[in-house]
Amino acid sequence: MSRKVLCLLLLVIVFSSCKKDKEEEKEETPVSLRFEKESLVKKAGENCDTADYDCSIIALDVVRAAGASEVSKKINRNLDEHLIRLISTQENPAILTLEELSEKFLADYREAAENFSEEPPWEAYVDEKVYLLSDSLVSIGITTEIFSGGAHGYKTLTFLNFDPTSGKILSKQDIFEKDFISFVEEKFRKEQGIPEDENINSTGFWFKNETFNLPENIGFSNDKVVLVYNSYEIAPYAAGDIVMEIPLEEVRPFIRIE
């Protein structure tokens, strides 16, 4: 084999190797995500645009993963589905978009107003916020305030945590080690004045089967972990939300993801 041919083969091998390394590096590099704010406001009723404001309103101030990547689409779809479940008056609504959600909310109000002459205006306010954006975790908090008849409205703070490389919603089991629950229970008992040797419900809480459980909603910021028990989750409405904030450094030993 001539020296010229041998050199050419070596160049091909080196080029192929470099190309493969770059492709592998590209696959392992986390998806670069950024978020933008979007707003949608709809009203129904009389005097909506006057000083005598008296109408139903749904105002959605949401975040959107920007770009056309599949990860962004998946995150946005999961956020919308979560919001639809929170606000819809139906258990399994056939609603696909926030526009449809807004129209249905106001249509349900109009129907209620026709059936009950004293029906007060309905209101739904949503504010979504990116609490944490990192290479391993995206944590988004959703504050909702809803009044759709009844004795009082309902305010909640819920969280969705995402894998930024896939758009998958991460469960508590995905994020935390098993012994995280014992760590939180110890802190909860101290904050709420529940002796270690007494039943977790001894001071009036509603934990199922008298066993401590983590809240449905846990979020992350740059320096802390936020645990939220919303109204009715473990206590009556009058008790309000029960929020725990724990420094991230204390929680780090219990976190599974890097």
Side-chain angles (χ1 to χ4, degrees), residues 30-79:
V31 177
S32 179
L33 285 174
R34 63 184 178 86
F35 288 85
E36 299 174 347
K37 275 282 197 176
E38 289 186 6
S39 295
L40 174 63
V41 179
K42 287 187 177 292
K43 304 173 184 177
E46 299 179 0
N47 306 318
C48 283
D49 300 310
T50 70
D52 300 322
Y53 186 93
D54 182 23
C55 67
S56 290
I57 181 172
I58 178 167
L60 310 179
D61 194 10
V62 301
V63 295
R64 276 282 179 269
S69 74
E70 288 304 313
V71 172
S72 294
K73 291 177 182 178
K74 191 170 184 180
I75 289 175
N76 292 336
R77 184 167 62 250
N78 282 322
L79 284 169

Side-chain angles (χ1 to χ4, degrees), residues 10-42:
L10 286 173
L11 284 173
V12 170
I13 292 171
V14 170
F15 178 80
S16 298
S17 177
C18 290
K19 184 178 180 182
K20 182 179 180 183
D21 289 342
K22 287 182 178 179
E23 288 177 349
E24 289 177 351
E25 182 181 347
K26 185 177 179 182
E27 290 176 358
E28 294 173 359
T29 301
V31 177
S32 179
L33 285 174
R34 63 184 178 86
F35 288 85
E36 299 174 347
K37 275 282 197 176
E38 289 186 6
S39 295
L40 174 63
V41 179
K42 287 187 177 292

Side-chain angles (χ1 to χ4, degrees), residues 9-239:
L9 285 173
L10 286 173
L11 284 173
V12 170
I13 292 171
V14 170
F15 178 80
S16 298
S17 177
C18 290
K19 184 178 180 182
K20 182 179 180 183
D21 289 342
K22 287 182 178 179
E23 288 177 349
E24 289 177 351
E25 182 181 347
K26 185 177 179 182
E27 290 176 358
E28 294 173 359
T29 301
V31 177
S32 179
L33 285 174
R34 63 184 178 86
F35 288 85
E36 299 174 347
K37 275 282 197 176
E38 289 186 6
S39 295
L40 174 63
V41 179
K42 287 187 177 292
K43 304 173 184 177
E46 299 179 0
N47 306 318
C48 283
D49 300 310
T50 70
D52 300 322
Y53 186 93
D54 182 23
C55 67
S56 290
I57 181 172
I58 178 167
L60 310 179
D61 194 10
V62 301
V63 295
R64 276 282 179 269
S69 74
E70 288 304 313
V71 172
S72 294
K73 291 177 182 178
K74 191 170 184 180
I75 289 175
N76 292 336
R77 184 167 62 250
N78 282 322
L79 284 169
D80 287 355
E81 289 175 355
H82 179 72
L83 205 53
I84 288 167
R85 287 193 297 271
L86 286 175
I87 295 180
S88 177
T89 56
Q90 296 177 323
E91 186 172 345
N92 296 301
I95 297 172
L96 299 177
T97 67
L98 298 186
E99 183 78 24
E100 291 178 7
L101 172 66
S102 301
E103 295 291 353
K104 186 66 169 64
F105 182 81
L106 296 179
D108 289 347
Y109 159 71
R110 293 187 188 97
E111 182 179 348
E114 289 177 2
N115 294 328
F116 306 98
S117 58
E118 299 300 319
E119 182 72 12
W122 289 10
E123 297 179 336
Y125 299 96
V126 172
D127 183 26
E128 293 181 349
K129 175 184 175 183
V130 178
Y131 276 65
L132 178 67
L133 175 56
S134 73
D135 288 343
S136 58
L137 180 68
V138 177
S139 187
I140 298 177
I142 304 100
T143 301
T144 59
E145 295 183 64
I146 303 171
F147 176 78
S148 54
H152 52 71
Y154 188 49
K155 182 176 180 179
T156 63
L157 172 58
T158 58
F159 283 97
L160 289 181
N161 298 305
F162 296 95
D163 178 344
T165 63
S166 67
K168 171 192 173 185
I169 294 178
L170 297 172
S171 67
K172 293 191 285 286
Q173 292 73 25
D174 293 327
I175 299 172
F176 298 107
E177 301 287 356
K178 289 183 178 180
D179 50 354
F180 179 60
I181 188 171
S182 300
F183 167 77
V184 176
E185 180 176 2
E186 182 179 346
K187 284 191 168 294
F188 183 88
R189 284 178 176 272
K190 287 181 180 178
E191 288 186 9
Q192 300 298 327
I194 305 171
E196 185 179 346
D197 57 349
E198 289 192 13
N199 187 293
I200 192 66
N201 290 338
S202 61
T203 60
F205 288 108
W206 296 350
F207 284 100
K208 189 176 181 180
N209 299 323
E210 300 186 337
T211 302
F212 179 82
N213 285 307
L214 294 173
E216 291 295 320
N217 294 284
I218 302 177
F220 292 79
S221 69
N222 288 322
D223 58 357
K224 62 189 175 184
V225 177
V226 184
L227 301 94
V228 183
Y229 292 97
N230 283 298
S231 298
Y232 296 118
E233 191 171 344
I234 59 169
Y237 178 82

